[in-house]
Amino acid sequence: MGRIPCCEKESVKRGQWTPEEDNKLSSYIAQHGTRNWRLIPKNAGLQRCGKSCRLRWTNYLRPDLKRGQFSDVEEQTIVKLHSVLGNRWSVIAAQLPGRTDNDVKNYWNTKLKKKLTGVGIDPVTHKPFSHLMAEIATTLAPPQVAHLAEAALGCFKDEMLHLLTKKRIDFQLQQTNAAPGNSASPYVDVKHDENEDTMEKIKLGLSRAMQEPGVQPHNKTWDSALASSMNFVGSCSRYSASINGFQCGPPFGNDGESSPWSQNMCTRSTCMEGDEQGQLHEKLEDDNNPQESVGAKENRERSSMFSTNCVLWDLPSDDLMNPMV
DNA sequence: AAATGATTCAACCGCTCTAAG
DNA sequence: CCTTAGAGCGGTTGAATCATT
């Protein structure tokens, strides 16, 4: 037995709302409140489904809604909460006064996901891609690691190309175009010659990632030492440094000394049991410092989480500037 | 200036959860 | 306990807008 529709689809209007409809809905809700959405369109004289009315009200007409660009603080809050809660947009939105789950979801899908990917962070797990690869590598026999590395080249091709080329693309294109007989792509020729070398570097990086203890050099961000440590404390604390001091340890961990995988565990919903929601609130309130000056905020934006020096595969940054690793 | 592609975001869809009877 | 309806959620779509060629 299928569910009955919430309204007669033939008799309801769909699509964009007109100002007249908005007025009718707003004034009706102002008078009668939002009880029983099914009756609201009928009583308000709207040819709309109750569900549509609710959506229009909660996402657009509510007087307490905040319009316009997300602030840096809001952006960071979303990233933080998403790393803990995943795609629980309504919970995330509840921490952002004036923002709806739809707003947050749209902002995540259109902006934040790309930003994170652009700096080499997997937006699903909030870990560096290099770290994820190293994690997978530990479960494989050495010959398979090479295959993994090869596969990674394909999987993350777009992200890597973006990272590797964004600063030198013009230069490379100039050089390529200047050289007679070169193909249109700056990568085609070097790819073939350097492929072996590239694969060796990647394998080396992955091997180190599997072997090294938790060494965390301080002069790099998002490098494969993160991955090599196989210790998300390192990556998370580095990550947290990039996003304005958010720490995955306390209050999320059980104690001050985080276990190697405590960060990993705290990135999922298990972290939200008990009184942690309250701790989350505390933390968020700390972060949303209302006294922050505009100048300070702008400065911080310039050095925001997304300006991290992303180094993948344990390669020197100079190598990253070459067309193929 | 026009065409095309990319991006944004309001709105819809289908599902789950919850409470009432 | 079961059924049903209402509410809410997350995923997806597509029209409007913006950027690029």
Side-chain angles (χ1 to χ4, degrees):
Chain A
M1 184 178 71
R3 278 205 60 164
I4 61 161
C6 67
C7 47
E8 297 298 326
K9 299 214 172 192
E10 297 79 28
S11 64
V12 298
K13 194 179 165 212
R14 297 158 59 85
Q16 293 287 100
W17 281 63
T18 63
E20 292 76 33
E21 289 177 308
D22 284 346
N23 283 337
K24 280 184 181 178
L25 182 60
S26 293
S27 54
Y28 180 85
I29 289 175
Q31 280 189 309
H32 302 96
T34 58
R35 278 192 301 277
N36 202 335
W37 284 109
R38 182 175 279 229
L39 292 177
I40 284 176
K42 195 190 288 181
N43 295 343
L46 289 162
Q47 300 281 85
R48 293 277 182 175
C49 165
K51 200 170 177 177
S52 178
C53 291
R54 182 176 56 79
L55 226 58
R56 183 65 179 171
W57 173 256
T58 55
N59 288 339
Y60 196 82
L61 295 175
R62 251 170 53 201
D64 59 325
L65 288 181
K66 195 191 283 181
R67 319 296 304 178
Q69 284 286 327
F70 278 72
S71 70
D72 191 40
V73 170
E74 287 176 313
E75 196 171 89
Q76 289 160 30
T77 303
I78 294 169
V79 175
K80 288 172 200 173
L81 292 178
H82 188 271
S83 71
V84 178
L85 300 164
N87 294 357
R88 294 169 68 185
W89 306 118
S90 58
V91 181
I92 295 172
Q95 308 299 329
L96 299 166
R99 302 294 189 185
T100 69
D101 53 351
N102 215 31
D103 288 338
V104 174
K105 182 172 58 183
N106 282 333
Y107 191 64
W108 174 264
N109 285 328
T110 59
K111 300 266 182 66
L112 291 179
K113 246 161 89 171
K114 287 175 195 166
K115 279 188 178 181
L116 289 172
T117 302
V119 297
I121 300 166
D122 174 27
V124 177
T125 61
H126 291 256
K127 296 178 186 181
F129 287 125
S130 56
H131 181 260
L132 291 173
M133 296 308 298
E135 266 187 43
I136 298 166
T138 58
T139 67
L140 302 174
Q144 291 176 301
V145 173
H147 293 137
L148 169 68
E150 198 168 2
L153 275 180
C155 290
F156 304 132
K157 187 180 66 184
D158 291 344
E159 288 77 10
M160 291 188 72
L161 283 178
H162 175 70
L163 276 171
L164 302 178
T165 61
K166 61 184 176 186
K167 288 187 180 171
R168 284 204 175 172
I169 187 70
D170 292 340
F171 175 74
Q172 288 293 339
L173 283 171
Q174 279 169 16
Q175 289 225 320
T176 306
N177 292 338
N182 272 359
S183 66
S185 165
Y187 308 113
V188 173
D189 291 337
V190 289
K191 209 180 217 172
H192 191 71
D193 292 342
E194 296 179 3
N195 195 34
E196 286 291 306
D197 187 42
T198 301
M199 289 304 299
E200 284 308 310
K201 285 179 174 177
I202 291 171
K203 285 180 206 171
L204 182 64
L206 284 167
S207 304
R208 280 193 216 155
M210 293 160 56
Q211 287 164 12
E212 285 182 15
V215 179
Q216 296 170 27
H218 296 285
N219 59 343
K220 289 182 181 180
T221 51
W222 291 118
D223 60 19
S224 70
L226 304 176
S228 69
S229 70
M230 294 308 295
N231 175 344
F232 200 42
V233 171
S235 57
C236 194
S237 60
R238 217 174 293 267
Y239 187 10
S240 56
S242 315
I243 54 175
N244 263 4
F246 172 68
Q247 296 292 335
C248 278
F252 295 104
N254 292 331
D255 51 43
E257 303 296 319
S258 304
S259 70
W261 286 100
S262 62
Q263 311 298 355
N264 192 19
M265 287 187 255
C266 85
T267 61
R268 286 286 148 215
S269 56
T270 52
C271 198
M272 295 306 293
E273 289 171 4
D275 65 347
E276 282 156 349
Q277 184 87 37
Q279 293 171 324
L280 185 61
H281 278 277
E282 275 178 36
K283 178 64 196 152
L284 287 166
E285 279 164 22
D286 290 344
D287 288 335
N288 287 293
N289 178 5
Q291 273 123 25
E292 185 180 41
S293 72
V294 174
K297 183 162 170 275
E298 282 173 356
N299 280 339
R300 201 159 39 70
E301 278 170 359
R302 274 185 221 110
S303 58
S304 74
M305 61 182 142
F306 300 115
S307 63
T308 58
N309 173 24
C310 181
V311 185
L312 298 173
W313 303 111
D314 205 20
L315 298 171
S317 55
D318 283 350
D319 283 344
L320 274 177
M321 289 299 112
N322 291 329
M324 277 298 294
V325 186

